[in-house]
Amino acid sequence: MALSTMYTTLDSPLGELLLVGAPSATARGGTALASLSVPQQTRGATVRDGWRRDDAAFAGIVDQLRSYFAGTLTRFDLEFVPGGTEFQQRVWQALEAIPYGTTVSYGHIAEQAGASRAAVRAVGTAIGRNPLLVVRPCHRVIGANGSLAGYAGGLERKERLLHLEGATAGNRWTR
C-alpha cells in the first residue's frame, strides 16, 4: 500500500481487529477499507513503517462493525480498496451476496463466480485470500457436507460469527 495507508484497531468479540484503509473521495467517511484482520490470522495484515494511525478516519467503519457485533446491522455499506485477480474479485463478489444468517457451500460460490463445481479448490484459495474478514463474509461458506471448513481467522471465530448471525438454525455443521 502507498504512503497514504492508514490504520486503526478495534476491540471486538473476535479479539483486537486491525483495520487498514486509504483515503477515498467516494467512500462515506472518506476512507476505503483495504484489510480487516483478526489476531493470529493466516496472511493477516500487520502495521508497517510509513502507515499512520488515524482513528477518526475509520469512525464510520468502526460504528458499522460495532453495530454488527451488537446484532443490529446485517449488511455493511463500505467501500473497499480494489485488489485481487479477476477470478478472486468474482469469488469475493459472490461472498458479498450471501445473505446474513445463511450459509452456502464452496460449490455454490464456484457457480456464482462463473466457475464449475470442480473449481472448488480454486474457490477455496480465492476465499482464503480475502483480506476483509467479517465484512466480506467468507465465514458463511461451509463444506458441502455441512462441516466448518477453512477460515483464515480460525474455525472458532468462524463458528462464533455464524452463531452471532443465528445461522445455526437449520444448519448442521461439524468441526
Side-chain angles (χ1 to χ4, degrees), residues 80-93:
F80 303 138
V81 173
T85 67
E86 187 270 332
F87 179 72
Q88 288 171 333
Q89 290 174 7
R90 288 194 334 255
V91 169
W92 296 344
Q93 286 175 344

Side-chain angles (χ1 to χ4, degrees), residues 68-100:
Y68 170 80
F69 288 120
T72 60
L73 181 78
T74 60
R75 186 160 183 83
F76 292 97
D77 182 17
L78 303 171
E79 182 178 311
F80 303 138
V81 173
T85 67
E86 187 270 332
F87 179 72
Q88 288 171 333
Q89 290 174 7
R90 288 194 334 255
V91 169
W92 296 344
Q93 286 175 344
L95 292 177
E96 292 170 18
I98 305 169
Y100 178 93

Side-chain angles (χ1 to χ4, degrees), residues 111-130:
E111 287 178 356
Q112 296 302 305
S116 73
R117 280 192 166 273
V120 167
R121 283 193 178 170
V123 166
T125 298
I127 290 171
R129 299 272 191 246
N130 172 20

Side-chain angles (χ1 to χ4, degrees), residues 91-164:
V91 169
W92 296 344
Q93 286 175 344
L95 292 177
E96 292 170 18
I98 305 169
Y100 178 93
T102 63
T103 57
V104 299
S105 70
Y106 288 88
H108 175 82
I109 294 297
E111 287 178 356
Q112 296 302 305
S116 73
R117 280 192 166 273
V120 167
R121 283 193 178 170
V123 166
T125 298
I127 290 171
R129 299 272 191 246
N130 172 20
L132 296 160
L133 297 191
V134 182
V135 298
R136 185 180 286 144
C138 53
H139 59 275
R140 297 178 188 154
V141 182
I142 61 174
N145 64 356
S147 65
L148 289 184
Y151 187 63
L155 292 181
E156 299 81 18
R157 289 188 179 110
K158 182 173 189 162
E159 188 171 24
R160 178 175 272 178
L161 289 167
L162 292 172
H163 279 291
L164 170 80

